[in-house]
Amino acid sequence: MRKQYALITTALLISLFIYLFYRTEKTLVNQLLIWLISVETYTHIKAIVVNALPLNNIVVYSLPEGLWIFCITLTSKPYHFIIFGRRFNCLYMPLLFCLSLEILQMIHVTNGRFDWMDIGMSVLFWLFGCYNFNPKEEKQHIFTSLNSKTLVCLISYGIVYLAHVFK
């Protein structure tokens, strides 16, 4: 379990690094950092990082979503939920979440742009997360007992809000 949390933490920190230094200043996480350190300091640090470590567009725009999908796949796989008496495996929620976000971008309900590469990267990292899946593991209802594992799972879904772009 510690290896899994270390993997999740590493993936989220890589995504955070990319968002902080390679994505627009208008994301919530960047706005929070600017509020903490000032726009001048942020701009200066960002310029240093971008010049020292140039990244291609796939890494900047698609990898963070793939890593996030990987994280929520790992945290979701031991759970299920029930709606109208029907049981749903949470392992498939990351794919549904990814596709829903991309469709909402395509029809301009949310900020951002539809990108097939994001979907491809998400599916690839979802498969990586599934590879660690233990089919004999007993599924737990995600909302029946709140503990540290379920809290990490739910928070990992909420992290996507930090990538929200304000106009």
Side-chain angles (χ1 to χ4, degrees):
M1 185 56 85
R2 285 189 178 180
K3 280 185 183 179
Q4 188 174 10
Y5 282 140
L7 200 54
I8 291 167
T9 302
T10 302
L12 291 175
L13 287 173
I14 291 168
S15 295
L16 177 64
F17 177 80
I18 292 169
Y19 262 90
L20 287 176
F21 299 113
Y22 295 89
R23 303 289 287 265
T24 178
E25 297 81 25
K26 295 180 182 180
T27 59
L28 178 60
V29 69
N30 290 353
Q31 288 295 305
L32 289 171
L33 183 61
I34 289 168
W35 179 75
L36 288 172
I37 66 170
S38 86
V39 70
E40 295 82 16
T41 304
Y42 169 76
T43 304
H44 180 71
I45 294 170
K46 182 175 179 174
I48 291 170
V49 170
V50 169
N51 286 329
L53 183 64
L55 299 177
N56 70 37
N57 284 344
I58 292 173
V59 172
V60 172
Y61 295 106
S62 298
L63 181 63
E65 184 173 341
L67 290 172
W68 176 72
I69 292 294
F70 177 71
C71 292
I72 63 174
T73 301
L74 290 178
T75 61
S76 296
K77 63 186 180 182
Y79 300 107
H80 73 273
F81 61 94
I82 299 171
I83 297 179
F84 302 118
R86 186 167 172 159
R87 184 177 161 159
F88 294 92
N89 186 340
C90 289
L91 181 63
Y92 300 99
M93 290 304 296
L95 279 181
L96 180 63
F97 211 81
C98 158
L99 293 172
S100 299
L101 288 174
E102 289 299 322
I103 289 169
L104 289 173
Q105 289 176 354
M106 182 175 66
I107 60 176
H108 306 293
V109 172
T110 61
N111 294 327
R113 69 179 180 89
F114 177 83
D115 189 353
W116 285 106
M117 182 59 76
D118 288 353
I119 293 172
M121 190 73 73
S122 294
V123 169
L124 179 68
F125 277 92
W126 178 78
L127 289 170
F128 287 154
C130 290
Y131 178 73
N132 293 317
F133 181 60
N134 181 358
K136 295 177 182 170
E137 186 175 42
E138 179 74 26
K139 296 281 186 199
Q140 303 170 26
H141 192 288
I142 194 162
F143 298 115
T144 55
S145 64
L146 192 60
N147 58 36
S148 61
K149 283 175 54 179
T150 57
L151 195 56
V152 167
C153 179
L154 296 172
I155 288 171
S156 65
Y157 278 89
I159 285 175
V160 75
Y161 185 69
L162 293 174
H164 180 73
V165 177
F166 293 99
K167 289 188 175 187

